[in-house]
Amino acid sequence: AQSVTQLDSQVPVFEEAPVELRCNYSSSVSVYLFWYVQYPNQGLQLLLKYLSGSTLVKGINGFEAEFNKSQTSFHLRKPSVHISDTAEYFCAVTPGAAGNKLTFGGGTRVLVKP
Amino acid sequence: GAVVSQHPSRVICKSGTSVKIECRSLDFQATTMFWYRQFPKQSLMLMATSNEGSKATYEQGVEKDKFLINHASLTLSTLTVTSAHPEDSSFYICSAAGRGNQPQHFGDGTRLSIL
């Protein structure tokens, strides 16, 4: 079984400042890792994914994440946030194929302040 | 990119009513569809996984007779909340995954309010 821990439930940040959202996972097998964003009253949108290859993954909207196998982490970063980045962010993992059942973290609410 | 359409986006109905929610993959064949429930300010809770043409696999604690799932084609899955009660009020989200090593794509969710 897998588990995902998002260490920060809320992250307030000023506009144009950098942000990092932490994600750690545990699994007895290799996993694929994802970050999704959820805007109010909407579904989830895929920001980026790590399947294999380079451990630094670039996604949409200027986000990137780095897979660290030894630390079992997949932290999400953005060098300069916008007001529109205010949303809930979910880290998720799945073993086997990328379309398999996901295990989600508890989510991190990012509030960007002007 | 892959698009998943979920309908309706919002439902308000009386207690005892059955409600059907549709999830369609618009531009790919969804071999697997997932149904989630999300409570306010919480993460997504997987309710069930459905493969086209097969019975859905429900997660522990999810009532099969309460939440009926049908995945009759490669582009459509439905979730029917039978005899809904106020405690069934929630945000329901579907997702779909196609063949190959592709991630899940999510619908926009359905907010169900039972009065």
Side-chain angles (χ1 to χ4, degrees), chain A residues 36 38 41 43 98 100-101 105, chain B residues 38 43 46 101-102 104 107 111:
Chain A
Y36 286 90
Q38 184 180 33
N41 296 310
N100 283 355
K101 185 166 70 171
Chain B
Q38 186 179 31
S43 189
L46 180 65
N101 210 19
Q102 296 300 315
Q104 293 180 34
R111 183 155 309 277

Side-chain angles (χ1 to χ4, degrees), chain A residues 32-53:
Chain A
Y32 298 135
L33 302 111
F34 308 85
W35 275 99
Y36 286 90
V37 60
Q38 184 180 33
Y39 299 103
N41 296 310
Q42 292 187 25
L44 275 65
Q45 181 181 3
L46 181 66
L47 277 177
L48 48 80
K49 60 183 184 289
Y50 174 78
L51 303 184
S52 65

Side-chain angles (χ1 to χ4, degrees), chain A residues 3-97:
Chain A
S3 68
V4 179
T5 303
Q6 291 183 240
L7 298 166
D8 306 296
S9 60
Q10 290 189 65
V11 173
V13 58
F14 285 105
E15 193 174 16
E16 297 184 5
V19 71
E20 178 180 80
L21 308 184
R22 296 179 292 171
C23 173
N24 287 88
Y25 69 94
S26 67
S27 176
S28 57
V29 299
S30 295
V31 294
Y32 298 135
L33 302 111
F34 308 85
W35 275 99
Y36 286 90
V37 60
Q38 184 180 33
Y39 299 103
N41 296 310
Q42 292 187 25
L44 275 65
Q45 181 181 3
L46 181 66
L47 277 177
L48 48 80
K49 60 183 184 289
Y50 174 78
L51 303 184
S52 65
S54 173
T55 57
L56 182 62
V57 180
K58 293 189 183 298
I60 62 171
N61 300 343
F63 284 94
E64 65 179 31
E66 185 156 19
F67 170 56
N68 188 318
K69 188 174 182 178
S70 62
Q71 296 186 5
T72 60
S73 68
F74 191 53
H75 301 332
L76 180 71
R77 302 184 184 92
K78 185 170 182 177
S80 175
V81 296
H82 301 290
I83 296 289
S84 58
D85 292 321
T86 294
E88 188 88 21
Y89 293 79
F90 293 98
C91 180
V93 303
T94 186

Side-chain angles (χ1 to χ4, degrees), chain B residues 6-97:
Chain B
Q6 190 172 338
H7 179 80
S9 58
R10 186 176 181 93
V11 179
I12 302 173
C13 57
K14 294 181 179 179
S15 185
T17 306
S18 290
V19 178
K20 179 183 283 188
I21 303 169
E22 292 187 349
C23 182
R24 295 180 184 272
S25 57
L26 298 185
D27 55 357
F28 67 102
Q29 293 185 326
T31 52
T32 308
M33 285 187 168
F34 303 85
W35 288 95
Y36 297 86
R37 183 172 180 176
Q38 186 179 31
F39 292 101
K41 298 185 179 181
Q42 293 189 25
S43 189
L44 280 71
M45 180 189 78
L46 180 65
M47 298 174 66
T49 303
S50 74
N51 292 295
E52 185 263 340
S54 303
K55 287 185 178 180
T57 302
Y58 289 81
E59 295 299 302
Q60 192 173 5
V62 178
E63 298 177 60
K64 300 178 182 181
D65 295 332
K66 177 73 164 176
F67 300 100
L68 301 179
I69 292 171
N70 183 279
H71 190 167
S73 76
L74 283 171
T75 59
L76 174 64
S77 177
T78 60
L79 168 67
T80 301
V81 183
T82 61
S83 186
H85 292 286
E87 59 266 27
D88 298 322
S89 298
S90 193
F91 193 55
Y92 293 88
I93 305 174
C94 73
S95 72

